[in-house]
Amino acid sequence: MNEFELIQRYFSHIGQSRPDVNVGVGDDAAVCTVPKNQELVVTTDLLVAGIHFPDDTPAHAIGYKALAVNLSDLAAMGAEPAWFTMTLSLPEPNESWLQEFARGLSELAEASGVLLIGGDTTRGALTIGIQACGFVPTGSAILRSGARVGDHIFVTGTLGDATLGLKGETGKLSLSVEAQKYFSQRLRYPTPRTREGLALRGIASAMIDISDGLVADLGHVLESSAVGASIEQGNLPVSDYYKELVDQIGWDTALSGGDDYELCIVVPPDHVASLNKLAAEWDCRITEIGIVDQKSGLRIVDEEGSLIEVAHPGYEHFSEQ
Ligand code: ADP
Ligand code: MG
């Protein structure tokens, strides 16, 4: 199988056909139409084997997650996803691997209404780069910089599960079979909060997706908005499986574990009722965790109101440690 056969066989029909794609896979570049009065929102994320996922991760999960992390970035902007491109570096053209990879990618692409419109394929260490594009009505993207003093801070879903999955898979934590199964599922198949992100246009003042951990990512929002915040540790939403472990492992993983791809949503006080009304219809829970205030930085307080130090604020590729 040569490069062109591989592309034709596995990547020429991934996702939902769309009337706004005039030229897709097969030419030198794709040609698409951006709807009138909308802005194009563009994001990209790179997944490297052994760094972003363990080498033994199933191909189906790799395909799914490579797209999911990009859709999560679009969701965090309040964008409606539309198209994506993919650069793929593969050690060898293993057919059963490619089939499963394409199936995982395709399942999420179809469910999200996005279409693969192009890419590039080379031989090399397993690396997947996806660039995703979406739309927002002009001026309505939800930025990191919009948080104001007095705004309420919420998160979707539960925190820390993906990191516990990875710790279990790499033997750093011993887990029951059921707990490992649950955590690994959250690690391998994060749910991009696309529908939720879209619905938050006009409601959220700022938003970010939690890829590097709550403390790090909420920290980005606070810095961009030139505000501070305090959050209550006891309010952090964790899964039942995490709850069972909390006496043993504490709250650090919920505070600073990465890879959950939940949304951290900042909402002005007069929009909180609208948020709660919206969220009643969502599949995921939302939890209020704190308040934006004037004093710069993020303060985490325990049930007694004492300040908590976070040991490892978040994942950072070029950190010295
Ligand atoms: P070029 O020589 O212009 O770079 P290629 O031969 O690399 O073109 O690619 C041929 C066509 O296949 C192009 O339309 C390109 O966008 C598409 N393509 C290549 N690799 C991928 C991939 N991994 N996923 C989707 N489309 C791909
Ligand atoms: Mg090429």
Side-chain angles (χ1 to χ4, degrees):
M1 185 176 48
N2 68 31
E3 182 190 325
F4 304 106
E5 287 164 347
L6 187 158
I7 295 163
Q8 186 55 34
R9 191 169 306 168
Y10 296 105
F11 302 122
S12 56
H13 295 101
I14 298 260
Q16 259 183 38
S17 343
R18 297 180 55 103
D20 53 9
V21 177
N22 311 319
V23 179
V25 171
D27 213 312
D28 296 316
V31 183
C32 305
T33 307
V34 180
K36 264 213 171 85
N37 305 320
Q38 307 245 343
E39 289 174 304
L40 189 64
V41 182
V42 184
T43 184
T44 188
D45 256 317
L46 187 63
L47 265 65
V48 180
I51 296 188
H52 297 94
F53 53 88
D55 288 318
D56 59 356
T57 305
H60 183 276
I62 299 172
Y64 174 98
K65 189 166 174 178
L67 180 58
V69 300
N70 281 281
L71 295 182
S72 175
D73 277 322
L74 291 182
M77 301 298 286
E80 179 189 343
W83 319 309
F84 68 106
T85 60
M86 176 173 68
T87 50
L88 185 60
S89 159
L90 280 175
E92 54 183 359
N94 177 324
E95 298 240 14
S96 61
W97 190 93
L98 277 161
Q99 206 161 6
E100 279 303 288
F101 174 82
R103 200 167 63 82
L105 186 63
S106 170
E107 279 174 16
L108 182 59
E110 281 188 25
S112 311
V114 297
L115 181 66
L116 178 60
I117 56 170
D120 201 21
T121 308
T122 71
R123 191 185 286 270
L126 180 60
T127 307
I128 306 106
I130 285 184
Q131 179 186 57
C133 302
F135 315 128
V136 290
T138 301
S140 64
I142 306 169
L143 310 183
R144 296 178 178 188
S145 53
R148 298 291 174 261
V149 172
D151 287 358
H152 297 231
I153 305 167
F154 293 81
V155 291
T156 59
T158 56
L159 300 175
D161 293 337
T163 299
L164 295 179
L166 184 63
K167 283 191 174 165
E169 284 180 16
T170 53
K172 291 184 181 134
L173 184 67
S174 149
L175 296 165
S176 71
V177 174
E178 297 94 77
Q180 182 65 63
K181 196 171 157 211
Y182 169 79
F183 291 137
S184 283
Q185 180 74 14
R186 297 309 300 154
L187 173 69
R188 293 175 177 177
Y189 295 97
T191 313
R193 301 297 182 192
T194 301
R195 177 176 166 224
E196 292 77 10
L198 261 179
L200 288 163
R201 289 176 189 160
I203 291 179
S205 55
M207 190 147 68
I208 192 165
D209 68 322
I210 306 174
S211 53
D212 297 329
L214 175 68
V215 169
D217 289 321
L218 177 55
H220 296 316
V221 169
L222 302 179
E223 204 177 303
S224 302
S225 303
V227 291
S230 68
I231 60 176
E232 276 184 49
Q233 178 173 267
N235 288 349
L236 296 178
V238 294
S239 61
D240 291 342
Y241 285 112
Y242 189 139
K243 252 179 227 155
E244 285 173 20
L245 292 165
V246 88
D247 288 340
Q248 183 193 339
I249 63 169
W251 291 94
D252 257 20
T253 314
L255 283 165
S256 54
D259 253 12
D260 286 317
Y261 300 97
E262 296 296 348
L263 293 175
C264 179
I265 309 159
V266 183
V267 181
D270 55 346
H271 287 166
V272 169
S274 316
L275 171 67
N276 284 324
K277 203 166 146 200
L278 268 181
E281 311 272 305
W282 291 349
D283 303 327
C284 64
R285 62 202 257 196
I286 62 159
T287 308
E288 182 165 353
I289 59 165
I291 293 279
V292 176
D293 55 29
Q294 207 115 48
K295 196 174 160 207
S296 83
L298 176 62
R299 285 158 299 285
I300 300 144
V301 294
D302 66 12
E303 278 89 352
E304 279 94 53
S306 317
L307 276 184
I308 291 159
E309 285 281 326
V310 181
H312 306 285
Y315 192 77
E316 216 269 281
H317 284 275
F318 296 105
S319 76
E320 305 284 315
Q321 291 129 334

